[in-house]
C-alpha cells in the first residue's frame, strides 16, 4: 500500500473494458506499478502539475477508488477548461484531505481538554486544602481548651489563623485560575466559530465555497420539501475565461473573478447565497423566488457586470472585457440536489450554445 499526502493507495488495478478472465494474474506489486504508470499518463495528457495532490487524484481516478473522485474529475474534464490548481485542490479536499476546520477543531479540542484537566487539578487542590483546614478545626475542637494554658490556647488560635489564611489564599488562586480558564474557553469558542466561517469561504472572491453551497442546498431542499417553499438555483459561468488568463495572465483572471463575485453579491439580498462553484463557475441559491423573478434578477446582474467591465476594461495596459452566461432551474417536489444542479447546468449550456452573454431559464423559450 502506497501513501501520498495522507491518501492511502490500494493495489487495485485500473478498471478497463477488457475481460480480465483471459489475462494471466498479476501480483499486487505489478498492479500498483501499472496504476502508477496510468496516473502519470493522465498527468501528462491533461497537463496538470505532477505534485502529490494531483498524483493522488489521478491515482484515485484510474483505480476507481473512491469512485466519487472519478465522477468529479470527469465533470471537470467534460467542461473543456484547462484544469487549474484551485479545482484540483477542491476535489482533493472533498475526498481525502482533513479540512482546516477539522484540524482547528482537533487543536481546540486538545486545548479544551488541557483546560478541563487543569480545572480538575485546581479543584482537587482546593478540596485537599479544605480537608486539611477541616481537620485542623476538628483537632482544635477536640482539644481540652478549659484546662489548656494560655500560651497553648494562643498557639492554637495562631495556628487556626495561619490555616485560615492558607485556605483564603488558595481560594483566591482557584477563583483567578477558574476565571482565566473561563476566558480562554470563551476565546477558543470564538476561534472555532471564526475557523468554521473561514472554512466555508472562497479565499479569492470571499463568497461562499462549494462546501458551503452543498450544505445550504441540502438544507434548502429539505426545507422546501417540508414547507413547499419555492427557490431557484442559478449556475453562472464566465464566457471564454481561459482567454483572459492566457492573454493577460492569472492576475487579470483573478481580478475578473472578484469583480463578478462582487456583482453577484451586490445584486442579491441577505438570504440569498452566492458561492464559487469551481474555477470560473459560480452558483446562487435564491430562496422564496419564482423562476421569472430569478430570470429578471440575473439579466440585471449580466448588464451590471458588463457595465463594470466596460468601466474598467484596462489591465496593465491591455484591454479585457469579460461577460457571463447564466442557467436557472426551479426546485420541484422531491427533486434531489443532483437533479436541480443538472437542470441549471442544462440551462447554462443552452445559454452558451446560443452565443453566450445571456440568461436561460428552465421552461423559458
Amino acid at each position: 500500500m502506497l501513501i501520498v499526502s495522507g491518501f492511502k493507495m490500494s493495489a487495485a488495478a485500473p478498471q478497463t473494458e477488457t475481460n480480465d478472465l483471459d489475462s494471466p494474474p498479476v501480483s499486487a506489486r505489478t498492479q500498483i506499478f501499472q496504476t502508477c504508470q496510468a496516473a502519470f499518463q493522465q498527468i501528462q495528457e491533461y497537463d496538470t502539475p505532477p505534485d502529490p495532490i494531483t498524483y493522488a487524484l489521478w491515482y484515485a481516478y484510474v483505480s476507481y477508488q473512491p469512485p466519487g473522485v472519478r465522477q468529479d474529475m470527469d465533470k471537470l474534464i467534460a467542461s473543456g477548461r484547462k484544469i487549474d490548481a484551485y479545482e484540483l485542490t477542491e476535489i482533493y479536499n472533498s475526498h481525502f484531505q482533513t479540512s482546516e476546520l477539522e484540524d482547528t477543531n482537533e487543536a481546540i479540542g486538545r486545548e479544551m481538554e488541557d483546560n478541563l484537566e487543569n480545572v480538575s487539578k485546581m479543584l482537587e487542590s482546593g478540596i485537599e486544602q479544605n480537608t486539611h483546614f477541616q481537620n485542623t478545626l476538628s483537632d482544635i475542637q477536640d482539644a481540652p481548651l478549659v484546662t489548656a494554658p494560655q500560651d497553648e490556647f494562643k498557639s492554637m488560635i495562631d495556628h487556626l489563623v495561619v490555616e485560615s489564611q492558607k485556605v483564603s489564599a488558595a481560594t483566591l488562586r482557584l477563583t483567578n485560575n477558574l476565571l482565566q480558564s473561563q476566558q480562554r474557553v470563551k476565546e477558543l469558542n470564538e476561534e472555532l466559530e471564526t475557523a468554521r466561517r473561514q472554512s466555508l469561504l472562497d479565499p479569492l472572491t470571499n463568497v461562499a465555497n462549494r462546501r458551503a453551497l452543498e450544505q445550504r442546498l441540502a438544507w434548502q431542499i429539505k426545507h422546501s420539501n417540508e414547507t413547499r417553499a419555492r427557490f431557484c438555483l442559478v449556475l453562472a459561468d464566465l464566457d471564454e475565461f481561459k482567454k483572459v488568463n492566457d492573454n493577460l495572465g492569472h492576475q487579470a483572471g483573478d481580478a475578473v473573478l472578484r469583480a463578478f463575485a462582487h456583482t453577484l453579491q451586490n445584486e442579491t439580498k441577505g438570504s440569498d447565497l452566492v458561492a464559487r462553484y469551481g474555477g470560473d463557475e459560480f452558483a446562487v441559491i435564491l430562496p422564496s423566488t419564482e423562476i421569472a423573478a430569478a430570470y429578471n434578477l440575473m439579466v440585471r446582474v449580466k448588464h451590471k457586470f458588463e457595465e463594470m467591465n466596460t468601466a474598467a476594461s484596462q489591465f496593465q495596459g491591455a484591454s479585457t472585457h469579460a461577460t457571463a452566461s447564466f442557467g436557472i432551474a426551479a426546485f420541484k417536489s422531491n427533486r434531489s440536489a443532483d437533479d436541480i444542479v443538472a437542470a441549471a447546468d442544462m440551462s447554462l449550456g443552452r445559454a452558451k450554445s446560443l452565443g453566450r452573454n445571456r440568461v436561460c431559464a428552465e421552461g423559458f423559450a
Side-chain angles (χ1 to χ4, degrees):
M1 181 176 289
L2 298 177
I3 299 179
V4 175
S5 192
F7 169 44
K8 297 180 180 178
M9 298 181 174
S10 68
Q15 297 183 8
T16 63
E17 298 298 325
T18 59
N19 188 348
D20 291 338
L21 295 176
D22 298 330
S23 304
V26 295
S27 67
R29 183 182 181 86
T30 301
Q31 288 179 342
I32 289 175
F33 281 118
Q34 288 175 346
T35 309
C36 289
Q37 185 179 22
F40 277 115
Q41 288 173 350
Q42 297 294 326
I43 288 174
Q44 292 175 342
E45 180 178 352
Y46 293 101
D47 191 26
T48 52
D51 57 34
I53 286 179
T54 306
Y55 175 71
L57 285 172
W58 285 121
Y59 192 103
Y61 180 85
V62 299
S63 65
Y64 287 76
Q65 293 184 9
V69 172
R70 191 174 186 96
Q71 182 180 354
D72 286 350
M73 292 293 282
D74 278 340
K75 183 177 179 181
L76 196 56
I77 293 167
S79 70
R81 302 190 303 269
K82 179 177 173 59
I83 301 174
D84 65 24
Y86 172 85
E87 292 168 311
L88 293 173
T89 302
E90 282 289 293
I91 295 174
Y92 180 82
N93 287 341
S94 66
H95 291 281
F96 308 126
Q97 186 85 319
T98 302
S99 70
E100 292 181 8
L101 176 60
E102 290 170 341
D103 289 340
T104 304
N105 284 345
E106 184 178 349
I108 290 177
R110 285 196 299 267
E111 188 166 348
M112 281 189 170
E113 286 179 4
D114 292 341
N115 268 280
L116 289 173
E117 185 177 351
N118 289 336
V119 169
S120 178
K121 288 178 180 178
M122 285 188 286
L123 290 174
E124 287 178 6
S125 175
I127 291 170
E128 289 177 3
Q129 191 73 31
N130 186 59
T131 300
H132 179 71
F133 184 62
Q134 291 294 334
N135 290 337
T136 300
L137 290 178
S138 180
D139 291 342
I140 292 174
Q141 185 178 15
D142 292 340
L145 297 179
V146 176
T147 59
Q150 185 176 353
D151 290 345
E152 186 177 343
F153 179 76
K154 185 177 183 302
S155 175
M156 285 189 294
I157 295 298
D158 290 343
H159 183 56
L160 179 61
V161 170
V162 169
E163 292 299 324
S164 177
Q165 289 172 341
K166 287 181 180 179
V167 170
S168 178
T171 301
L172 181 61
R173 285 195 304 271
L174 175 61
T175 301
N176 289 336
N177 288 336
L178 286 173
L179 288 173
Q180 290 175 5
S181 293
Q182 183 185 41
Q183 178 61 29
R184 184 54 187 149
V185 168
K186 180 182 177 182
E187 291 171 358
L188 289 171
N189 282 327
E190 291 172 353
E191 289 174 19
L192 184 61
E193 178 59 23
T194 299
R196 187 194 69 80
R197 288 196 301 269
Q198 289 297 324
S199 75
L200 298 175
L201 285 180
D202 173 62
L204 175 64
T205 61
N206 209 36
V207 298
N209 60 18
R210 184 166 178 170
R211 184 183 299 114
L213 172 72
E214 290 173 347
Q215 290 179 6
R216 172 65 181 276
L217 185 57
W219 178 89
Q220 199 74 50
I221 288 172
K222 182 175 182 292
H223 176 71
S224 292
N225 280 324
E226 291 174 350
T227 65
R228 298 181 180 272
R230 298 178 181 274
F231 78 89
C232 289
L233 175 69
V234 180
L235 290 184
D237 190 81
L238 294 171
D239 298 324
E240 299 182 319
F241 180 68
K242 185 176 182 296
K243 290 182 179 180
V244 177
N245 283 331
D246 290 346
N247 296 336
L248 301 176
H250 286 280
Q251 282 186 317
D254 288 349
V256 171
L257 289 170
R258 285 192 290 265
F260 186 55
H262 182 73
T263 305
L264 287 169
Q265 285 278 60
N266 279 354
E267 297 301 318
T268 51
K269 56 183 183 291
S271 58
D272 301 333
L273 178 77
V274 176
R276 187 178 178 191
Y277 194 58
D280 60 321
E281 194 168 8
F282 290 77
V284 185
I285 295 176
L286 300 170
S288 305
T289 305
E290 299 285 350
I291 196 162
Y295 177 87
N296 292 333
L297 174 62
M298 289 304 115
V299 168
R300 187 166 74 243
V301 168
K302 182 182 81 71
H303 290 309
K304 289 283 186 181
F305 184 56
E306 285 182 281
E307 292 169 6
M308 177 181 290
N309 276 279
T310 300
S313 61
Q314 297 294 318
F315 187 85
Q316 295 183 351
S319 178
T320 175
H321 183 72
T323 59
S325 298
F326 303 79
I328 308 171
F331 176 73
K332 298 176 183 177
S333 180
N334 295 320
R335 209 173 205 180
S336 69
D338 288 342
D339 292 338
I340 192 169
V341 168
D345 196 42
M346 186 175 296
S347 295
L348 175 60
R350 189 153 55 92
K352 293 283 190 182
S353 67
L354 291 173
R356 303 185 178 90
N357 191 26
R358 65 187 61 229
V359 180
C360 286
E362 185 183 30
F364 279 41

Coordinates of all heavy atoms in Angstrom, one line a residue, residues 88-136:
L88 N -8.5 21.3 -8.6 CA -7.9 20.0 -8.1 C -7.9 20.0 -6.6 O -8.2 19.0 -6.0 CB -6.5 19.9 -8.7 CG -6.4 19.7 -10.2 CD1 -4.9 19.7 -10.6 CD2 -7.0 18.4 -10.6
T89 N -7.5 21.1 -6.0 CA -7.4 21.2 -4.5 C -8.8 21.0 -3.9 O -9.0 20.3 -2.9 CB -6.8 22.5 -4.1 OG1 -5.5 22.6 -4.6 CG2 -6.7 22.6 -2.5
E90 N -9.9 21.6 -4.5 CA -11.2 21.4 -4.0 C -11.7 20.0 -4.1 O -12.2 19.5 -3.1 CB -12.2 22.3 -4.9 CG -12.2 23.8 -4.5 CD -12.8 24.1 -3.2 OE1 -14.0 23.9 -3.1 OE2 -12.1 24.5 -2.3
I91 N -11.4 19.3 -5.2 CA -11.8 17.9 -5.3 C -11.0 17.0 -4.3 O -11.5 16.2 -3.6 CB -11.5 17.4 -6.7 CG1 -12.4 18.1 -7.7 CG2 -11.7 15.8 -6.8 CD1 -12.2 17.7 -9.1
Y92 N -9.7 17.3 -4.1 CA -8.8 16.6 -3.2 C -9.4 16.8 -1.8 O -9.5 15.8 -1.0 CB -7.4 17.1 -3.3 CG -6.4 16.4 -2.4 CD1 -5.9 15.2 -2.7 CD2 -6.1 17.0 -1.2 CE1 -5.0 14.5 -1.8 CE2 -5.2 16.4 -0.3 CZ -4.7 15.1 -0.6 OH -3.8 14.5 0.2
N93 N -9.6 18.0 -1.4 CA -10.1 18.3 0.0 C -11.4 17.6 0.3 O -11.7 17.1 1.4 CB -10.3 19.8 0.2 CG -8.9 20.5 0.3 OD1 -7.9 19.9 0.6 ND2 -8.9 21.8 0.1
S94 N -12.3 17.5 -0.8 CA -13.6 16.9 -0.5 C -13.6 15.4 -0.4 O -14.5 14.8 0.2 CB -14.6 17.3 -1.7 OG -14.1 16.7 -2.9
H95 N -12.5 14.8 -0.8 CA -12.4 13.3 -0.7 C -11.3 12.8 0.2 O -11.5 11.7 0.8 CB -12.2 12.8 -2.1 CG -13.3 12.9 -3.1 ND1 -14.4 12.1 -3.0 CD2 -13.6 13.8 -4.1 CE1 -15.3 12.4 -4.0 NE2 -14.8 13.5 -4.6
F96 N -10.2 13.5 0.3 CA -9.1 12.9 1.1 C -8.6 13.8 2.2 O -8.4 13.3 3.3 CB -7.9 12.7 0.2 CG -8.2 12.0 -1.1 CD1 -7.8 12.5 -2.3 CD2 -8.8 10.7 -1.0 CE1 -8.1 11.8 -3.5 CE2 -9.1 10.0 -2.2 CZ -8.7 10.6 -3.4
Q97 N -8.5 15.1 2.0 CA -7.8 15.9 2.9 C -8.6 16.2 4.1 O -9.8 16.5 4.0 CB -7.4 17.3 2.2 CG -6.5 18.2 3.1 CD -5.1 17.9 3.0 OE1 -4.7 16.7 3.0 NE2 -4.2 18.9 2.9
T98 N -8.0 16.2 5.3 CA -8.6 16.7 6.5 C -8.8 18.2 6.4 O -7.8 18.9 6.1 CB -7.8 16.4 7.8 OG1 -7.6 15.0 7.9 CG2 -8.5 16.9 9.0
S99 N -10.0 18.7 6.5 CA -10.3 20.1 6.3 C -9.6 21.0 7.4 O -9.3 20.5 8.5 CB -11.8 20.4 6.3 OG -12.3 20.3 7.6
E100 N -9.4 22.2 7.0 CA -8.8 23.1 8.0 C -9.7 23.3 9.2 O -9.2 23.4 10.4 CB -8.6 24.5 7.4 CG -7.6 24.6 6.3 CD -7.4 25.9 5.7 OE1 -8.0 26.9 6.2 OE2 -6.7 26.1 4.7
L101 N -11.0 23.2 9.0 CA -11.9 23.3 10.2 C -11.7 22.1 11.1 O -11.7 22.2 12.3 CB -13.3 23.3 9.7 CG -14.4 23.3 10.8 CD1 -14.2 24.5 11.7 CD2 -15.8 23.3 10.2
E102 N -11.5 20.9 10.5 CA -11.3 19.7 11.3 C -10.0 19.8 12.1 O -9.9 19.4 13.2 CB -11.4 18.4 10.4 CG -12.8 18.1 9.9 CD -12.8 17.1 8.8 OE1 -11.7 16.8 8.3 OE2 -13.8 16.5 8.6
D103 N -9.0 20.3 11.4 CA -7.7 20.5 12.1 C -7.8 21.4 13.2 O -7.3 21.2 14.3 CB -6.6 21.0 11.1 CG -6.2 20.0 10.0 OD1 -6.4 18.8 10.3 OD2 -5.7 20.4 9.0
T104 N -8.6 22.5 13.0 CA -8.8 23.5 14.1 C -9.6 22.9 15.2 O -9.3 23.1 16.4 CB -9.5 24.8 13.5 OG1 -8.7 25.3 12.4 CG2 -9.6 25.8 14.6
N105 N -10.6 22.2 14.8 CA -11.4 21.5 15.9 C -10.6 20.6 16.7 O -10.7 20.6 18.0 CB -12.5 20.6 15.2 CG -13.7 21.5 14.7 OD1 -13.8 22.6 15.0 ND2 -14.5 20.9 13.8
E106 N -9.7 19.9 16.1 CA -8.8 18.9 16.8 C -7.9 19.7 17.8 O -7.7 19.3 19.0 CB -8.0 18.1 15.9 CG -7.2 17.0 16.6 CD -6.4 16.2 15.6 OE1 -6.7 16.3 14.4 OE2 -5.5 15.4 16.0
A107 N -7.3 20.8 17.3 CA -6.4 21.6 18.1 C -7.1 22.2 19.3 O -6.6 22.2 20.4 CB -5.7 22.7 17.2
I108 N -8.3 22.8 19.0 CA -9.1 23.4 20.0 C -9.6 22.4 21.0 O -9.6 22.6 22.2 CB -10.2 24.3 19.4 CG1 -9.7 25.5 18.7 CG2 -11.2 24.7 20.5 CD1 -10.7 26.3 18.0
G109 N -10.0 21.3 20.5 CA -10.4 20.2 21.4 C -9.3 19.8 22.4 O -9.6 19.6 23.6
R110 N -8.1 19.7 21.8 CA -7.0 19.3 22.7 C -6.7 20.3 23.8 O -6.5 20.0 25.0 CB -5.7 19.1 21.9 CG -5.6 17.8 21.1 CD -4.2 17.5 20.6 NE -3.7 18.5 19.8 CZ -3.8 18.5 18.5 NH1 -4.4 17.5 17.9 NH2 -3.3 19.5 17.7
E111 N -6.8 21.6 23.4 CA -6.6 22.7 24.4 C -7.7 22.7 25.4 O -7.5 23.0 26.6 CB -6.5 24.0 23.7 CG -6.0 25.1 24.6 CD -5.6 26.4 23.9 OE1 -5.4 26.4 22.7 OE2 -5.4 27.4 24.6
M112 N -8.9 22.5 25.0 CA -10.1 22.4 25.9 C -9.9 21.3 26.9 O -10.2 21.4 28.1 CB -11.4 22.3 25.2 CG -11.9 23.6 24.6 SD -13.6 23.5 23.9 CE -13.9 25.2 23.6
E113 N -9.4 20.1 26.4 CA -9.1 19.0 27.3 C -8.1 19.4 28.3 O -8.2 19.1 29.5 CB -8.7 17.8 26.5 CG -9.8 17.1 25.7 CD -9.3 16.0 24.9 OE1 -8.1 15.6 25.1 OE2 -10.1 15.3 24.2
D114 N -7.0 20.1 27.9 CA -6.0 20.6 28.8 C -6.6 21.5 29.9 O -6.2 21.4 31.0 CB -4.8 21.2 28.0 CG -4.1 20.3 27.2 OD1 -4.2 19.1 27.4 OD2 -3.4 20.7 26.2
N115 N -7.4 22.4 29.4 CA -8.1 23.4 30.3 C -8.9 22.6 31.4 O -8.9 23.0 32.6 CB -8.9 24.4 29.6 CG -8.2 25.6 29.2 OD1 -8.0 26.5 30.0 ND2 -7.7 25.7 28.0
L116 N -9.7 21.7 30.9 CA -10.5 20.9 31.8 C -9.7 20.1 32.8 O -10.0 20.0 34.0 CB -11.4 19.9 31.1 CG -12.6 20.6 30.3 CD1 -13.3 19.6 29.4 CD2 -13.6 21.3 31.2
E117 N -8.5 19.6 32.3 CA -7.6 18.8 33.2 C -7.1 19.8 34.3 O -7.0 19.4 35.5 CB -6.5 18.2 32.4 CG -5.6 17.3 33.3 CD -4.6 16.6 32.4 OE1 -4.6 16.7 31.2 OE2 -3.7 16.0 33.0
N118 N -6.7 21.0 33.9 CA -6.1 22.0 34.8 C -7.2 22.4 35.9 O -6.9 22.5 37.0 CB -5.6 23.2 34.1 CG -4.4 22.9 33.3 OD1 -3.6 22.0 33.6 ND2 -4.2 23.7 32.2
V119 N -8.4 22.6 35.4 CA -9.5 22.9 36.3 C -9.7 21.8 37.3 O -9.9 22.0 38.5 CB -10.8 23.2 35.5 CG1 -12.0 23.3 36.5 CG2 -10.7 24.5 34.8
S120 N -9.7 20.6 36.8 CA -9.9 19.4 37.7 C -8.8 19.4 38.8 O -9.0 19.1 39.9 CB -9.8 18.1 36.9 OG -10.0 17.0 37.7
K121 N -7.5 19.6 38.3 CA -6.4 19.6 39.3 C -6.6 20.8 40.3 O -6.3 20.6 41.5 CB -5.1 19.8 38.5 CG -4.7 18.5 37.8 CD -3.4 18.8 37.0 CE -3.0 17.5 36.2 NZ -1.7 17.8 35.5
M122 N -7.0 21.9 39.8 CA -7.3 23.1 40.8 C -8.3 22.7 41.8 O -8.2 23.0 43.0 CB -7.7 24.3 40.0 CG -6.5 25.0 39.2 SD -7.0 26.6 38.5 CE -8.0 26.0 37.1
L123 N -9.4 22.1 41.3 CA -10.5 21.7 42.3 C -10.0 20.7 43.3 O -10.3 20.7 44.5 CB -11.7 21.2 41.5 CG -12.4 22.2 40.6 CD1 -13.5 21.5 39.8 CD2 -13.1 23.3 41.5
E124 N -9.2 19.7 42.8 CA -8.6 18.7 43.7 C -7.8 19.4 44.8 O -7.8 19.0 46.0 CB -7.8 17.7 42.9 CG -8.6 16.7 42.1 CD -7.8 15.8 41.3 OE1 -6.5 15.8 41.5 OE2 -8.3 15.0 40.5
S125 N -6.9 20.3 44.3 CA -6.1 21.0 45.3 C -6.9 21.8 46.3 O -6.6 21.8 47.5 CB -5.2 22.0 44.5 OG -4.4 22.8 45.4
G126 N -8.0 22.4 45.8 CA -8.9 23.2 46.7 C -9.6 22.2 47.7 O -9.7 22.6 48.9
I127 N -10.0 21.1 47.2 CA -10.6 20.1 48.1 C -9.6 19.6 49.2 O -10.0 19.5 50.4 CB -11.2 18.9 47.3 CG1 -12.3 19.4 46.5 CG2 -11.6 17.7 48.2 CD1 -12.8 18.3 45.5
E128 N -8.4 19.3 48.8 CA -7.4 18.9 49.7 C -7.1 20.0 50.8 O -7.0 19.7 52.0 CB -6.1 18.5 49.0 CG -6.1 17.3 48.2 CD -4.9 17.0 47.4 OE1 -3.9 17.8 47.6 OE2 -4.8 16.0 46.6
Q129 N -7.0 21.2 50.3 CA -6.8 22.3 51.3 C -7.9 22.5 52.2 O -7.7 22.7 53.4 CB -6.6 23.6 50.5 CG -6.1 24.8 51.3 CD -4.6 24.7 51.6 OE1 -3.8 24.0 50.9 NE2 -4.2 25.2 52.8
N130 N -9.1 22.4 51.7 CA -10.3 22.5 52.6 C -10.4 21.3 53.6 O -10.7 21.5 54.8 CB -11.6 22.5 51.7 CG -12.8 22.7 52.5 OD1 -12.9 23.8 53.2 ND2 -13.7 21.8 52.5
T131 N -10.0 20.1 53.1 CA -10.0 19.0 54.0 C -9.0 19.2 55.2 O -9.2 18.9 56.3 CB -9.7 17.7 53.2 OG1 -10.6 17.5 52.2 CG2 -9.6 16.5 54.2
H132 N -7.8 19.7 54.8 CA -6.8 19.9 55.8 C -7.3 20.9 56.8 O -7.0 20.8 58.0 CB -5.5 20.4 55.1 CG -4.4 20.8 56.0 ND1 -3.7 19.8 56.7 CD2 -3.8 22.0 56.4 CE1 -2.8 20.4 57.5 NE2 -2.8 21.7 57.3
F133 N -7.9 22.0 56.3 CA -8.5 23.0 57.2 C -9.5 22.4 58.1 O -9.6 22.7 59.3 CB -9.0 24.2 56.4 CG -9.5 25.3 57.2 CD1 -8.6 26.0 58.0 CD2 -10.8 25.7 57.2 CE1 -9.1 27.1 58.8 CE2 -11.3 26.8 58.0 CZ -10.4 27.5 58.8
Q134 N -10.4 21.6 57.6 CA -11.4 21.0 58.4 C -10.8 20.1 59.5 O -11.3 20.0 60.6 CB -12.4 20.1 57.5 CG -13.2 20.9 56.6 CD -14.3 21.8 57.4 OE1 -14.7 21.4 58.5 NE2 -14.7 22.9 56.8
N135 N -9.7 19.4 59.1 CA -9.0 18.5 60.1 C -8.4 19.4 61.2 O -8.4 19.0 62.4 CB -8.0 17.7 59.4 CG -8.6 16.6 58.5 OD1 -9.7 16.2 58.7 ND2 -7.8 16.2 57.6
T136 N -7.9 20.5 60.8 CA -7.3 21.4 61.8 C -8.4 21.9 62.8 O -8.2 21.9 64.0 CB -6.6 22.6 61.1 OG1 -5.6 22.2 60.2 CG2 -6.0 23.6 62.1

